[in-house]
């Protein structure tokens, strides 16, 4: 699903549409850039355009978009443990809150996210006037709206106020003049896109199209958007739709989530999907997460870079008997020697396809377990204490983890319990930093773990400041658009 020939403009957004054609949804092949006027005519054209948008979506969550670095590495769950002198200062700086405005990963994520948004804008600008059937017109519109909403949701949480572009930009000079929109204006657009998408996208697809945005995806994402803004009643209502739909359920065995061949399982509400051994359609997640020096041992081919390694802090957070702790390996066997190096089994010990960056390892964007826990959180906030539905939701997750059910908690103790469960259930799937931001705990939690006379186990050695809760706007965007885009405070 990943195109190798994506051309990212220096401007704020992509000025020309780059699509892909495919035999099925996963087995896409890159095609040349095509003028929009000549391209958007047939059902096949729009389907190819959407596959191109999903290609950009996959890039965001793979190593090319650096989502795991910007989100998990920022938290207390992972750290960057590669050896010195290997050219990974850009990653280490993110881990240690020392990044500068020219950090290559910040720039790549910004560009990849706006690439996704631009592709969606191209589809949305042409679909209403097309001769595509009404049913497909609704579906394609809903998919593009959901993808665009996700792109902006990630951007606004990481950078704050960002340029809000909802139409194709065809003038390079005009693109330089697009300034930042207020955070609430961005959220209003995200909400509008997802509310509309709920009435358009189907509940499911055939097997060849698993991974496309569904009704459950739109509802789950909208619930997260509401929860992030502390609109608890609205969030609970969206999560309830997902929980009561009967579409999703927890896999009985936690470890099965990370086995090969888990695309489209009943717990996977949305995944960024990759196809291993398929000439560039795979992911590089195993290579990025494998500990440094473990090439040919933890993974059969390609480099092992150790970009996101579990911290001692998250490893120690599990109680005895919690089966989820087994997703953290404490090291690997190299001949007769055991090498102590924590890594995430869910990304490393999986099929790696035909070689480097060609793995079938997917990225969970939203799992049903995440929805159950956020539903419990929202209900606790709405009722100022847990009700039966809140307990039922969190205890489903705990039961699979082989932990005892919770009961008899107050509003405050239940809140603490669900926050802890959210961390332990999916610590390496891009949620922890956003959870800390959403619940106003980032400064307190991270600064409580600053090293006190040695190397920090969570990546920081000095307290972080409030301005560092947002990343700097990439220098490239600020310079090329000056004075339209003003840098974030503190940078």
């Amino acid at each position: 699903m990943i195109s190798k020939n994506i051309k990212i403009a220096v401007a704020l957004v992509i000025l020309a549409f780059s699509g892909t054609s495919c035999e099925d949804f996963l087995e896409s092949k890159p095609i040349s850039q095509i003028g929009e006027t000549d391209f958007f005519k047939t059902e096949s054209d729009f389907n190819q355009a959407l596959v191109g948008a999903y290609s950009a979506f996959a890039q965001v969550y793979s190593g090319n978009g650096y989502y795991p670095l910007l989100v998990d590495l920022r938290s207390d769950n992972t750290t960057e443990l590669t050896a010195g002198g290997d050219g990974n200062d850009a990653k280490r700086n993110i881990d240690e809150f020392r990044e500068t405005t020219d950090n290559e990963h910040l720039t790549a994520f910004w560009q990849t996210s706006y690439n996704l948004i631009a592709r969606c804008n191209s589809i949305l600008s042409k679909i209403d006037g097309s001769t595509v059937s009404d049913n497909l017109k609704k579906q394609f519109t809903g998919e593009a709206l959901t993808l665009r909403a996700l792109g902006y949701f990630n951007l606004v949480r990481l950078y704050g106020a960002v340029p809000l572009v909802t139409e194709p930009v065809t003038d390079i000079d005009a693109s330089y003049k697009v300034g930042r929109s207020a955070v609430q204006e961005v959220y209003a657009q995200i909400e509008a896109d997802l509310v509309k998408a709920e009435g358009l996208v189907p509940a499911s697809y055939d097997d060849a199209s698993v991974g496309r945005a569904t009704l459950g995806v739109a509802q789950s994402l909208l619930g997260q958007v509401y929860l992030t803004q502390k609109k608890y009643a609205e969030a609970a209502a969206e999560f309830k739709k997902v929980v009561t739909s009967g579409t999703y359920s927890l896999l009985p065995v936690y470890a099965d989530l990370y086995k090969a061949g888990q695309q489209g399982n009943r717990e996977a509400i949305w995944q960024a999907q990759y196809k291993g051994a398929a000439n560039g359609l795979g992911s590089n997640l195993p290579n990025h997460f494998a500990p440094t020096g473990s090439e040919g041992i933890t993974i059969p081919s390609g480099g092992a870079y150790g970009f996101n390694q579990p911290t001692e802090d998250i490893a120690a957070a599990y109680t005895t008997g919690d089966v989820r702790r087994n997703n953290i390996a404490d090291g690997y066997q190299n001949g007769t020697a055991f090498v102590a190096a924590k890594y995430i089994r869910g990304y490393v010990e999986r099929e790696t396809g035909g070689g480097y960056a060609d793995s079938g390892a997917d990225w969970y964007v939203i799992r049903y377990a995440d929805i159950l826990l956020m539903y419990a959180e929202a209900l606790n906030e709405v009722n100022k204490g847990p009700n039966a539905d809140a307990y039922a939701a969190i205890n489903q997750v705990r039961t699979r983890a082989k932990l005892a059910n919770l009961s008899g908690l107050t509003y405050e103790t239940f809140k603490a319990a669900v926050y802890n469960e959210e961390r332990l259930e999916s610590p390496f799937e891009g949620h922890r930093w956003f959870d800390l931001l959403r619940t106003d705990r980032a400064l307190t939690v991270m600064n409580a773990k600053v090293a006190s006379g040695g190397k920090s186990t969570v990546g920081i050695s000095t307290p972080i400041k409030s301005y560092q809760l947002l990343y700097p706007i990439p220098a490239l965007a600020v310079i090329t658009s000056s004075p339209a885009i003003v840098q974030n405070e503190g940078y």
Side-chain angles (χ1 to χ4, degrees):
M1 192 164 64
I2 298 176
S3 169
K4 283 187 173 179
N5 65 344
I6 295 174
K7 299 180 180 178
I8 300 178
V10 173
L12 182 65
V13 295
I14 297 300
L15 301 180
F17 174 77
S18 175
T20 59
S21 61
C22 64
E23 296 178 1
D24 65 33
F25 182 61
L26 286 174
E27 295 176 345
S28 60
K29 298 291 186 288
I31 59 176
S32 300
Q33 289 188 309
I34 300 171
E36 293 184 18
T37 303
D38 299 326
F39 180 70
F40 287 102
K41 293 181 179 179
T42 68
E43 172 188 322
S44 176
D45 291 342
F46 280 97
N47 191 58
Q48 289 182 47
L50 270 164
V51 172
Y54 282 105
S55 171
F57 162 71
Q59 291 251 345
V60 167
Y61 291 96
S62 74
N64 297 321
Y66 298 106
Y67 180 93
L69 292 177
L70 269 61
V71 180
D72 282 341
L73 199 58
R74 199 66 157 177
S75 77
D76 51 352
N77 284 356
T78 70
T79 189
E80 204 272 335
L81 293 177
T82 56
D86 54 8
N88 289 318
D89 286 348
K91 299 171 181 63
R92 188 172 294 110
N93 287 343
I94 288 171
D95 188 21
E96 298 174 357
F97 287 78
R98 295 191 292 105
E99 74 286 340
T100 55
T101 61
D102 61 350
N103 185 286
E104 62 188 272
H105 307 310
L106 291 176
T107 303
F109 187 84
W110 178 278
Q111 291 174 321
T112 306
S113 296
Y114 274 108
N115 183 20
L116 167 62
I117 290 166
R119 293 181 180 204
C120 294
N121 287 342
S122 293
I123 295 165
L124 293 168
S125 71
K126 301 293 184 181
I127 189 71
D128 284 343
S130 73
T131 59
V132 173
S133 68
D134 288 343
N135 283 342
L136 283 177
K137 190 176 291 187
K138 288 172 58 178
Q139 175 192 319
F140 293 162
T141 299
E143 289 182 85
L145 287 170
T146 304
L147 286 164
R148 184 171 74 181
L150 176 70
Y152 275 122
F153 190 37
N154 286 336
L155 285 166
V156 75
R157 289 181 292 174
L158 291 177
Y159 299 100
V162 293
L164 183 61
V165 184
T166 58
E167 298 289 337
V169 177
T170 57
D171 183 343
I172 187 77
D173 293 325
S175 73
Y176 293 143
K177 299 176 183 178
V178 179
R180 301 171 70 180
S181 297
V183 167
Q184 286 309 311
E185 185 179 352
V186 178
Y187 272 114
Q189 184 64 55
I190 295 169
E191 289 182 17
D193 282 356
L194 291 172
V195 168
K196 185 175 180 180
E198 277 193 79
L200 300 174
V201 289
S204 62
Y205 298 92
D206 59 29
D207 290 344
S209 295
V210 169
R212 299 178 85 136
T214 62
L215 175 60
V217 169
Q219 292 167 339
S220 298
L221 191 55
L222 182 56
Q224 287 182 279
V225 171
Y226 285 141
L227 190 66
T228 299
Q229 299 176 87
K230 297 179 171 55
K231 298 180 178 180
Y232 298 117
E234 294 91 334
E238 291 301 318
F239 294 142
K240 184 176 182 178
K241 294 175 186 177
V242 181
V243 170
T244 60
S245 69
T247 303
Y248 309 101
S249 61
L250 299 181
L251 294 186
V253 179
Y254 182 80
D256 287 351
L257 287 163
Y258 310 108
K259 287 184 176 179
Q262 285 301 314
Q263 290 183 343
N265 66 69
R266 284 185 62 82
E267 189 167 339
I269 296 178
W270 210 10
Q271 293 170 298
Q273 295 187 355
Y274 307 91
K275 189 175 181 65
N279 191 28
L281 303 180
S283 76
N284 50 20
L285 294 173
N287 302 95
H288 282 199
F289 283 80
T292 307
S294 68
E295 295 91 342
I297 303 171
T298 62
I299 52 174
S301 60
Y305 300 119
F307 293 158
N308 283 72
Q309 305 303 119
T311 61
E312 296 290 345
D313 192 79
I314 182 61
Y318 291 92
T319 56
T320 302
D322 192 329
V323 300
R324 296 171 296 192
R325 171 60 174 82
N326 192 53
N327 194 31
I328 300 174
D330 292 307
Y332 59 93
Q333 201 70 29
N334 185 4
T336 60
F338 179 77
V339 180
K342 285 183 169 55
Y343 63 90
I344 305 160
R345 295 188 192 277
Y347 297 116
V348 176
E349 297 177 6
R350 211 186 316 188
E351 63 175 341
T352 57
Y356 170 68
D358 208 12
S359 168
D362 299 327
W363 179 272
Y364 285 108
V365 179
I366 309 171
R367 281 200 283 119
Y368 184 57
D370 304 325
I371 299 305
L372 287 172
L373 293 175
M374 288 188 289
Y375 184 40
E377 179 186 338
L379 288 172
N380 187 54
E381 294 292 344
V382 169
N383 300 305
K384 294 305 174 186
N387 61 11
D389 288 339
Y391 278 119
I394 194 172
N395 285 335
Q396 280 189 64
V397 177
R398 287 178 61 84
T399 296
R400 182 175 65 177
K402 308 301 181 185
L403 299 176
N405 284 348
L406 299 177
S407 63
L409 301 181
T410 66
Y411 163 70
E412 291 292 345
T413 56
F414 187 88
K415 180 164 66 172
V418 76
Y419 288 170
N420 186 57
E421 211 65 45
E422 286 169 340
R423 184 189 188 195
L424 299 179
E425 174 62 26
S426 51
F428 312 119
E429 294 169 26
H431 304 314
R432 175 63 171 173
W433 179 242
F434 286 146
D435 287 347
L436 291 175
L437 292 176
R438 185 188 76 240
T439 58
D440 303 318
R441 294 178 296 142
L443 286 175
T444 302
V445 168
M446 294 300 293
N447 285 341
K449 298 174 181 180
V450 172
S452 58
K455 180 174 173 55
S456 171
T457 61
V458 299
I460 58 174
S461 55
T462 58
I464 61 174
K465 299 178 175 61
S466 58
Y467 78 85
Q468 292 173 302
L469 299 181
L470 293 177
Y471 279 114
I473 303 296
L476 181 65
V478 175
I479 293 169
T480 57
S481 66
S482 181
I485 294 179
V486 178
Q487 184 57 264
N488 277 332
E489 179 186 353
Y491 296 103

